[in-house]
Amino acid sequence: MKSPSQPRDRGIPDATVARLPLYLRALNGMAEKAIATVSSEDLAVAAGVNSAKLRKDLSHLGSYGTRGVGYDVEYLVYQISRELGLTQDWAVAIVGVGNLGRALANYGGFVSRGFRVAALIDADPEVVGDDIAGLNVEHIDELEAVIKRRGVSIVVLATPAAAAQEVCDRVVAVGVTSILNFAPVVLSVPDGVDVRKVDLSIELQILAFHEQRKAGGPLMAVDSQ
Amino acid sequence: MKSPSQPRDRGIPDATVARLPLYLRALNGMAEKAIATVSSEDLAVAAGVNSAKLRKDLSHLGSYGTRGVGYDVEYLVYQISRELGLTQDWAVAIVGVGNLGRALANYGGFVSRGFRVAALIDADPEVVGDDIAGLNVEHIDELEAVIKRRGVSIVVLATPAAAAQEVCDRVVAVGVTSILNFAPVVLSVPDGVDVRKVDLSIELQILAFHEQRKAGGPLMAVDSQ
DNA sequence: ATCCTTTTGTGAACCGACGCACAAAGTCAG
DNA sequence: CTGACTTTGTGCGTCGGTTCACAAAAGGAT
């Protein structure tokens, strides 16, 4: 007995949330190809996951499939988008306009999904004032003012490691609770603030570990048949 | 009864491997500050993890601590580095020299930890021949030749989504088994090939989900006290 | 040499996630 | 309307990871 008007649960597992964007991308690809309906099996293949897992994930949002048929692509795109909060417009500020910050500012994948780069901020007087991706780079002194004025709710940190914690403290102080951190440091934040970390060198190190294993690990006596 | 010469296990949990680079970074920071010895508690704080987890992680590598004292910083740096395969030099090729590829090529964090950008490759005749970060950009036609000649074992994909699978197939065909993929596609590879994915827009979407929850989810009747 | 303090390494309980396998629910043909 | 077929949604066993809590080990002081 579930109320159809409130089908989804307050608590969607983190593992599920992390996969929803994957499903969404696969679904968008199908919508472009004018595919109207898709089975969990086909969608699972496109997203690179197990089909039972996919069905369980989707069941957390509600009961949006039709047995014997599958899922309506457009409808599912809408439901997932809404669940992820992509039906609204998110203003993002990028702090740190070095190589990476510049790349992020120009990255098309942001705009395409409800995200809008609303501000570029840097400390270097050399870059401040420059136009990048159609935006004027503003000075770090304006950080708090810009965040408030533009209604920024998500901050991307692309600063050097040494500056990240300080910038983080400042944006948290003006009420930002969602941070995407590219700086190679562990940020400490108060409860209620979400930090997600992307660390290029860590990913490479994990690859190196496995690569080394394949090649015959450290001190490994390879079963050299 | 464990042989002291072969303390480490063949199977280190994936979750542990993913954290080793974190410990390594924290330890390097301590080494720079001339800290000789560190307890699991202090190191855990620096790495942002639970201390019991840290101890269990390290115990998978061997028994490198001293009860009542802690861990020798330099020794632990060496052991983790060796386990991760960072004592050897890894040649990395970056395919796709757009904004992101350029940023990666200039990113200092690679070189610092045993990784060396050995080749830049692109398909656009406009970029081929350019010098970026001291390297000459080579044409995609040379992909296989360059990989073999330079001994590249890890490939970073920073191409547009549409090109990623094809490039992936080609590098796998010449024997590459470690790929770091920045393109927003699910790559399909044969068994034995490791693919790690970094997806900027997915990270933002996950943040948006939580941000929306905090603000009062979709259709949410906020307990507006 | 013995006791006291500190800190490691790990046994064991707990928790969430995964995937199998199946009943329930819907479609479609005749 | 009925029956065969398809595909969803989920109960349940399993597994890997996290955390607590403690015994074992090391060092230093007396």
Side-chain angles (χ1 to χ4, degrees), chain B residues 130-144:
Chain B
D130 285 8
D131 266 13
I132 294 177
L135 256 81
N136 186 38
V137 177
E138 285 157 293
H139 193 270
I140 187 76
D141 287 350
E142 301 292 315
L143 181 65
E144 288 83 357

Side-chain angles (χ1 to χ4, degrees), chain A residues 19 22-23 40-58:
Chain A
R19 281 187 295 266
L22 222 56
Y23 304 153
S40 63
E41 183 57 36
D42 290 351
L43 182 52
V45 169
V49 302
N50 176 293
S51 72
K53 182 153 64 182
L54 178 124
R55 288 196 298 277
K56 192 160 285 184
D57 282 344
L58 294 184

Side-chain angles (χ1 to χ4, degrees), chain A residues 31 35-36 72-79:
Chain A
I35 297 171
D72 182 275
V73 174
E74 295 245 14
Y75 186 55
L76 200 50
V77 164
Y78 171 70
Q79 291 299 343

Side-chain angles (χ1 to χ4, degrees), chain A residues 5-6 8-12 14 17-22 24-25 45-48 81-88 90 92 99-100 102-104 106-107 109-110 113 115 153-156 175-180 182-186 192-215 217-220, chain B residues 5-6 8-12 14 17-22 24-25 45-48 81-88 90 92 99-100 102-104 106-107 109-110 113 115 153-156 175-180 182-186 192-215 217-220:
Chain A
S5 66
Q6 203 179 12
R8 93 195 73 73
D9 206 330
R10 272 304 119 199
I12 297 183
D14 285 349
V17 173
R19 281 187 295 266
L20 289 180
L22 222 56
L24 188 54
R25 179 184 298 152
V45 169
S81 295
R82 193 172 52 94
E83 195 64 43
L84 286 173
L86 304 182
T87 48
Q88 48 193 290
W90 296 100
V92 176
N99 288 305
L100 181 58
R102 243 177 285 256
L104 294 173
N106 285 295
Y107 178 52
F110 286 1
R113 305 246 182 279
F115 300 98
S153 48
I154 299 178
V155 168
V156 175
V176 171
T177 58
S178 295
I179 296 172
L180 181 53
F182 285 86
V185 282
V186 177
V193 176
D194 279 317
V195 176
R196 294 197 64 86
K197 203 179 65 165
V198 176
D199 193 314
L200 314 175
S201 103
I202 284 184
E203 298 299 323
L204 274 188
Q205 290 176 48
I206 296 171
L207 280 177
F209 171 83
H210 291 292
E211 185 69 24
Q212 175 183 236
R213 283 282 159 116
K214 291 177 213 155
L219 304 189
M220 181 193 269
Chain B
S5 65
Q6 203 178 12
R8 94 194 71 76
D9 206 330
R10 273 305 117 199
I12 297 183
D14 285 348
V17 173
R19 282 187 295 265
L20 289 179
L22 222 56
L24 189 55
R25 180 186 296 152
V45 169
S81 295
R82 193 173 51 95
E83 195 63 45
L84 286 173
L86 305 181
T87 48
Q88 49 191 290
W90 296 99
V92 176
N99 288 307
L100 181 59
R102 244 177 283 256
L104 295 173
N106 285 296
Y107 179 52
F110 286 0
R113 304 246 182 281
F115 300 98
S153 48
I154 299 177
V155 168
V156 175
V176 171
T177 57
S178 294
I179 296 172
L180 181 53
F182 286 86
V185 281
V186 176
V193 176
D194 278 318
V195 176
R196 294 197 64 87
K197 201 179 65 165
V198 176
D199 193 315
L200 314 174
S201 103
I202 283 184
E203 298 299 324
L204 274 187
Q205 291 178 47
I206 296 172
L207 280 177
F209 171 83
H210 292 292
E211 185 69 24
Q212 175 183 236
R213 283 284 160 114
K214 291 176 211 155
L219 304 189
M220 181 194 270

